[in-house]
Amino acid sequence: MEGNLNDLVPGHHHDHEHPQAGHDPGHVHAHGGSRWARLRHRLAHLVTPHSHEAADKVDPAMETSREGMRTLWISLAVLGLTTVVQAVIVALSGSVALLGDTVHNAADALTAVPLGVAFVLGRRAADRRYTYGYGRAEDLAGILIVVTIAASAALAAWAAIDRLLAPRDITHLWAVAAAAATGFAGNEWVARYRIRTGRRIGSAALVADGLHARTDGFTSLAVLFGAGGAALGWRLADPVIGLLITAAILFVLVGAAREVYRRLMDSVDPELVQRAEEALGAVDGVRGIGQVRMRWIGHALRAEADIVVDSQLTVVAAHELAVDAEHALIHAVPRLTAATVHTDHTPVGGDPHAALHHHLAAAGPSGREAVRAR
């Protein structure tokens, strides 16, 4: 694809779009340049794990567009149907390469699970027990996906190694070739559908997911080459291709596990924290910035921030300034839905937080950091 991914989306401006947690910032950099540069970019996609995080797949344009969500679910249904067709051929032919590709497509289709959980449970209102709502259910679904992908990788690896140790001819080569072509065609159709809709509604996430589907199609083409090798009499072609596809699944597994771990540990992109601090510093009346914290709850961000204001301000004026600061944060940080802003005042006499010191210090390094920030 030529041009920057941002340029694929109408109305997208670089200064309003930042990578979400779990998405490599370099992933959306320029695709343009020479033909060799574009080829290197596409090859890099083949060996780079793409994210299975719902936050990377749902941006405001998609979330507010029925067309975007319909495109997502229809394309996932197509991938699911492709997976079923390939699974039937696997049972008939015994091709371990096709088994690996089937597992790979199934793993991609499973990305619908956290999205479904996020939109069904995430819309439930917070209550007295779950005061932050139910967005964390998405992280639980992410754990299940990681376990499923790990089990799938183990199955594909075992089948390929077993076939290497005890080579057997695969049957129904024509069906294996047809299934591989079906896998490629299914991914390419999904890619075109997602990219076309993403451009129309202005969804960078949907365009990026379309590009991922396009590169996934090359995995199916590898199965086609394996079938060709088997037809020429190379009995190891099928298990060798199966091992290569298993390696691709493991790349996906490592990436997915890393992102789930980061979510469970409340990790965010440091660039988002930097952007938040810059936004707070630009608010008229803010004399200083203390600690800024963020965490993902589902596919939305929540923040806590300390600001320093003039000690002569009235309570009403200080509150208005805190509201202005929260407003600036929401505009500056993508997917931030709310922020709690604590106002400290410029020094007057003793330390106003003295009564809290022994509580915060007992909390360990994070507590002592909070004391220093204030």
Side-chain angles (χ1 to χ4, degrees):
M1 297 293 293
E2 294 188 18
N4 192 297
L5 176 59
N6 298 339
D7 298 332
L8 298 177
V9 184
H12 178 94
H13 301 286
H14 178 70
D15 59 343
H16 290 291
E17 187 71 26
H18 279 256
Q20 303 294 344
H23 193 70
D24 181 7
H27 182 76
V28 294
H29 288 173
H31 295 196
S34 67
R35 179 175 299 177
W36 170 241
R38 294 194 298 272
L39 177 60
R40 282 187 302 169
H41 176 81
R42 291 178 179 176
L43 290 175
H45 272 293
L46 295 178
V47 296
T48 302
H50 54 265
S51 174
H52 283 249
E53 282 293 293
D56 294 335
K57 297 177 182 300
V58 183
D59 58 12
M62 262 177 65
E63 195 170 16
T64 58
S65 169
R66 290 184 178 180
E67 183 180 6
M69 294 309 300
R70 183 172 62 250
T71 297
L72 184 69
W73 292 115
I74 289 176
S75 59
L76 287 172
V78 170
L79 287 179
L81 180 60
T82 300
T83 301
V84 171
V85 171
Q86 289 184 318
V88 171
I89 304 303
V90 167
L92 289 175
S93 66
S95 169
V96 293
L98 186 58
L99 171 63
D101 188 43
T102 302
V103 168
H104 187 222
N105 284 328
D108 280 347
L110 279 174
T111 59
V113 176
L115 280 175
V117 171
F119 280 99
V120 174
L121 288 182
R123 288 176 177 175
R124 294 181 61 180
D127 53 37
R128 299 280 289 181
R129 182 176 295 275
Y130 298 97
T131 55
Y132 280 96
Y134 292 80
R136 286 286 191 178
E138 182 180 312
D139 298 332
L140 296 179
I143 294 175
L144 293 177
I145 286 180
V146 168
V147 172
T148 302
I149 295 175
S152 301
L155 172 64
W158 175 83
I161 293 173
D162 177 68
R163 189 61 58 84
L164 278 174
L165 297 177
R168 297 189 300 275
D169 293 328
I170 61 175
T171 62
H172 301 81
L173 280 176
W174 63 270
V176 173
T182 299
F184 175 77
N187 276 290
E188 180 62 21
W189 184 90
V190 165
R192 291 175 179 270
Y193 187 33
R194 287 177 176 175
I195 291 172
R196 184 170 60 249
T197 303
R199 286 172 173 171
R200 185 163 55 248
I201 68 174
S203 170
L206 197 56
V207 172
D209 217 27
L211 295 175
H212 287 149
R214 174 161 287 161
T215 56
D216 286 343
F218 289 104
T219 306
S220 297
L221 286 183
V223 177
L224 191 59
F225 294 144
L232 294 175
W234 186 31
R235 301 181 72 189
L236 296 182
D238 186 64
V240 167
I241 294 296
L243 284 176
L244 292 176
I245 295 175
T246 299
I249 298 172
L250 288 176
F251 273 119
V252 172
L253 173 62
V254 170
R258 181 175 60 245
E259 301 312 329
V260 170
Y261 167 79
R262 287 176 176 174
R263 283 302 179 88
L264 294 177
M265 293 297 293
D266 285 333
S267 170
V268 296
D269 187 342
E271 185 179 353
L272 297 179
V273 179
Q274 177 68 28
R275 171 170 272 223
E277 291 173 340
E278 292 174 354
L280 290 172
V283 175
D284 188 29
V286 172
R287 299 294 186 86
I289 303 168
Q291 196 170 42
V292 176
R293 294 179 175 180
M294 294 183 190
R295 63 169 51 174
W296 286 97
I297 300 178
H299 53 279
L301 276 170
R302 295 288 296 258
E304 300 173 8
D306 298 332
I307 61 173
V308 179
V309 302
D310 195 300
S311 60
Q312 302 302 315
L313 290 180
T314 65
V315 173
V316 172
H319 178 262
E320 289 178 350
L321 191 52
V323 171
D324 290 342
E326 181 180 7
H327 189 212
L329 285 175
I330 291 174
H331 275 283
V333 180
R335 305 210 64 78
L336 181 67
T337 57
T340 301
V341 180
H342 173 82
T343 56
D344 287 319
H345 56 73
T346 51
V348 176
D351 185 353
H353 300 105
L356 298 175
H357 282 190
H358 66 286
H359 293 289
L360 295 173
S366 61
R368 290 192 291 273
E369 179 64 27
V371 171
R372 286 195 295 270
R374 294 183 176 184

